[in-house]
Amino acid sequence: MLEELQRVVDALARRLGRAVAVDDLDFRLLAYSAHLGEGDEMRARVILNREAPPEAVAWLRRRRLGRASGPVRLPADDELGIVPRVVVPILYQDVRFGYLWLLDAEDSLTDEQLGLASTAAADAGAICFRERIVSQLRTAREGELVRDLLSEDEQVRGVASARLVEGGLFAPRGDVTVVVARPLPADADGVDEDDRIALQAALTMLFSRLGDRGSLRLVRPDHAVLVIPTATLRRSPELPEVLRTTALQRLGKSAKWRDVHVATGSPAGRLDDAVTSYTQALEALRVAEVVPSFAPLVAHEALGIYALLAGRPFDQLGAHGVHPAVRRLLDADRELFTTAELYLDRAGDARATAAELGLHRASVYHRVRRIEDITRLDLSDGQHRLLLHLGIKVSRLLGLA
């Protein structure tokens, strides 16, 4: 698409003898011609950054260009470094795709020249429309194959993996990792169709950043799925945060959402094993929702003992995992419960526990003795320590602590 738009821009620039550019609806630069004489500070900034700066976007929004159906003359703005220009909306079948720009400092564009610009804008609209149709077909095909890739059926996963690679939808580059984003509604309404469209838009923005064949995406009823080469995640560890931020922006209506949690599974050796990484990411989301210290960004590899516990339904953990000793500690003193957890997390290191709690080591030893009295466990015994540690973590998952 970009190559075709560039040809349209270059052809119009040659015919008019002046600079031409094409933006998308968010004023991100898609194509631009050579300088051809006139220019301004704003054009230079847009070309350098590939998008209009925020103050220019605000200036343009105030002119309600979204309502324009033909060429619109915009005045100069010395503060922003803008000379007069003409903007022509890029439309096709009443669908708006962006804007075509012409610098016109001398107000010298004739009606005939504006007609040529309108024709070029229509050509650009047809190109964008065709690209959107192709993209929608690709996304639909990709979505079907990614659903199969995450199937419980091993044979279905194998076929989907082969088709994704053979169809040019994904380039295998070693290990793959699955990243999952789930919005947390503030009420009982849950995630609706508009929200799923917003999640799809967030994935599409990341997809454009990662490049063709650099990722796979899927939106499920209450979460978004991104499959990427593990090497990409190592090079760009900020991707989960970018996905979260973009999802929050696209979802909007901030009062509806408590947050968006993003979880990363462990690397899978092959594409058709991506379901394992996906399952791990879902488990990490479950943990993050009940253990806030892991939220909003959580990696399965960082869960520690929770990674083992989260693989089972929480109700089953409740039936067998909370030892009476843990319940006695919970009922007796929540502060001692927290001390016991931290002490066991630090492998019984009283010095480290004291430093984190802001206590003297003697106070930690005193608390440990009280914990032993209440739980009737000997914390110098490895089996007793394991029993208490697991029980504490299970109680966290069950929301008891």
Side-chain angles (χ1 to χ4, degrees):
M1 179 190 75
L2 295 180
E3 290 180 3
E4 291 186 77
L5 288 177
Q6 189 63 53
R7 284 195 288 271
V8 169
V9 164
D10 289 339
L12 181 63
R14 284 194 299 272
R15 295 191 71 176
L16 299 184
R18 66 183 66 220
V20 179
V22 166
D23 288 350
D24 66 12
L25 290 172
D26 293 316
F27 304 105
R28 291 188 295 257
L29 188 63
L30 299 177
Y32 64 96
S33 71
H35 192 53
L36 297 179
E38 60 181 341
D40 62 7
E41 180 187 338
M42 185 55 63
R43 174 177 164 83
R45 291 179 67 186
V46 169
I47 290 174
L48 181 64
N49 298 309
R50 306 299 297 182
E51 63 183 0
E55 62 273 21
V57 171
W59 185 81
L60 291 167
R61 298 283 188 209
R62 290 196 294 271
R63 273 134 188 90
R64 301 181 182 275
L65 297 180
R67 298 181 179 182
S69 58
V72 176
R73 291 187 178 274
L74 297 180
D77 189 303
D78 294 336
E79 244 182 70
L80 293 176
I82 294 174
V83 303
R85 63 229 300 127
V86 171
V87 56
V88 185
I90 296 174
L91 300 163
Y92 189 81
Q93 295 189 2
D94 296 325
V95 179
R96 192 175 300 269
F97 292 98
Y99 305 98
L100 184 146
W101 298 93
L102 304 167
L103 295 181
D104 192 24
E106 304 299 326
D107 194 21
S108 59
L109 279 168
T110 65
D111 289 343
E112 181 183 356
Q113 290 174 318
L114 291 176
L116 291 174
S118 296
T119 299
D123 291 341
I127 292 167
C128 293
F129 183 81
R130 186 170 64 251
E131 175 66 18
R132 176 174 292 185
I133 294 299
V134 170
S135 177
Q136 288 172 345
L137 290 172
R138 182 193 191 280
T139 300
R141 181 184 175 211
E142 177 186 328
E144 292 174 1
L145 290 174
V146 176
R147 275 190 291 272
D148 287 347
L149 186 68
L150 304 179
S151 165
E152 295 180 1
D153 188 310
E154 183 177 356
Q155 186 174 357
V156 170
R157 295 198 303 268
V159 171
S161 173
R163 288 182 176 171
L164 284 164
V165 174
E166 291 167 3
L169 296 172
F170 190 75
R173 299 167 189 160
D175 294 354
V176 298
T177 297
V178 176
V179 182
V180 176
R182 174 181 285 154
L184 303 180
D187 51 38
D189 288 345
V191 179
D192 59 28
E193 187 58 31
D194 286 343
D195 301 326
R196 284 186 280 275
I197 291 172
L199 288 175
Q200 183 67 58
L203 287 179
T204 299
M205 286 188 67
L206 232 65
F207 181 84
S208 63
R209 170 177 175 160
L210 295 170
D212 192 33
R213 304 180 75 201
S215 65
L216 298 169
R217 56 208 154 136
L218 175 68
V219 174
R220 294 207 131 160
D222 70 342
H223 61 271
V225 182
L226 185 71
V227 183
I228 54 176
T230 304
T232 299
L233 189 58
R234 291 196 186 104
R235 285 195 304 270
S236 304
E238 75 283 359
L239 284 176
E241 174 60 31
V242 172
L243 176 57
R244 174 175 174 266
T245 303
T246 306
L248 283 169
Q249 290 172 345
R250 290 292 179 171
L251 286 164
K253 299 176 291 186
S254 57
K256 181 177 178 179
W257 307 105
R258 288 185 285 132
D259 203 346
V260 172
H261 287 176
V262 177
T264 306
S266 298
R270 301 181 309 174
L271 182 57
D272 52 356
D273 288 333
V275 65
T276 302
S277 183
Y278 171 63
T279 301
Q280 291 171 342
L282 292 179
E283 291 171 357
L285 285 176
R286 293 171 69 212
V287 173
E289 195 160 348
V290 296
V291 185
S293 60
F294 285 110
L297 303 174
V298 56
H300 185 266
E301 292 181 332
L303 291 180
I305 188 61
Y306 287 113
L308 176 64
L309 299 175
R312 299 181 61 188
F314 288 177
D315 56 349
Q316 290 183 18
L317 291 174
H320 307 290
V322 182
H323 192 275
V326 180
R327 294 190 181 277
R328 285 195 294 272
L329 188 59
L330 274 168
D331 293 340
D333 192 323
R334 292 300 176 101
E335 187 175 56
L336 286 180
F337 179 91
T338 301
T339 300
E341 181 177 27
L342 185 57
Y343 179 73
L344 294 169
D345 284 347
R346 299 295 177 269
D349 186 333
R351 184 191 298 274
T353 305
E356 191 149 344
L357 292 175
L359 298 173
H360 191 276
R361 247 190 307 169
S363 298
V364 173
Y365 288 132
H366 176 68
R367 288 190 181 187
V368 168
R369 285 193 295 273
R370 289 182 61 202
I371 291 166
E372 289 179 323
D373 289 342
I374 292 168
T375 60
R376 302 166 201 166
L377 297 173
D378 179 1
L379 294 188
S380 65
D381 183 303
Q383 293 297 321
H384 286 197
R385 285 161 71 150
L386 178 61
L387 184 152
L388 182 59
H389 205 183
L390 279 174
I392 288 172
K393 297 307 184 185
V394 168
S395 67
R396 288 287 190 198
L397 289 179
L398 295 174
L400 301 177

